[in-house]
Amino acid sequence: DLSDEYYEKEEKVLKSILSRKTIIDIIDFDNGISIAKGDITLFKVDVIVNACNSKLLGCFQPLHKCVDNAIHSFAGLKVRRDLMEIMDNQGHDEANGLCKVTKGYNLPSKYIFHTVGPIYNNLKQDAIDLRNCYYNSLKMADDMKLESIAFPSISTGIFGYPIEKASEIAINTAKEYLEKENKNLKRIVFVLFSEGDYSVYERRINKAY
Ligand code: AR6
């Protein structure tokens, strides 16, 4: 049971969503890949991906400026409720590279995939885990017959993955997926939260194609 305070908070969030503007800075490359600058919670795509920890229940520091907090704040409390049920049924933490789906609720997007990126330790396994985050999300979106998916830069915030290395994995995994396996996806968007990250992705895409 949720207190009045929770519902009041939820209402404030909804009001702030209605007053928010949509993103303008977006580049579509003609290979199905796009990059954009800004807040992923503003995107209207079939699914946005969340960068989570292995508990999958949101960030435990309410004021932390992570994508997990942004997504939970704007999507609403039903996301955490659904994840609690999923994780209760599963009975153990989520492994790196895997993901679970919830609806998008108050977000413009239909679904959210909650994936667990690796905490960077400069190990070979980190690259495998990060690749799996992208690969498993793409595969799940494709299997669900979705056409558009937006990713944040997974693990490159507090999980410490260097953006140069992480962007190479993100773009190569997307490129490979589109070339070899894709059935339904039409648009893969990488949403970057800073100028610097955006430039890294732009350079990396030009290098990959
Ligand atoms: N839209 C798009 N990107 C964002 C947004 C946003 N609204 N907010 C932040 N970013 P991080 P991680 C960028 O730390 O490294 C949480 O506590 C951010 O600038 O969010 O995978 C989870 O619960 C950075 O470039 O995720 C986990 O415990 C990128 O998103 C942990 O953080 C990822 O940074 C996961 O760490």
Side-chain angles (χ1 to χ4, degrees), residues 20 38-42 50-54 57-61 64-71 74 115-119 151-161 163 191-194 197:
R20 293 191 314 158
D39 179 353
I40 200 165
T41 64
L42 289 165
N50 187 11
C52 309
N53 58 63
S54 59
L57 298 176
C59 172
F60 296 108
Q61 294 167 280
H64 186 237
K65 284 191 175 8
C66 56
V67 69
D68 201 4
N69 265 340
I71 289 176
F74 289 110
T115 192
V116 186
I119 298 171
F151 287 99
S153 180
I154 301 166
S155 280
T156 67
I158 41 166
F159 278 3
Y161 215 116
I163 184 78
V191 183
L192 291 321
F193 212 44
S194 72
D197 290 354

Side-chain angles (χ1 to χ4, degrees), residues 168-179:
E168 183 175 5
I169 293 171
I171 288 161
N172 288 347
T173 308
K175 179 177 188 247
E176 240 176 75
Y177 193 87
L178 288 172
E179 286 169 359

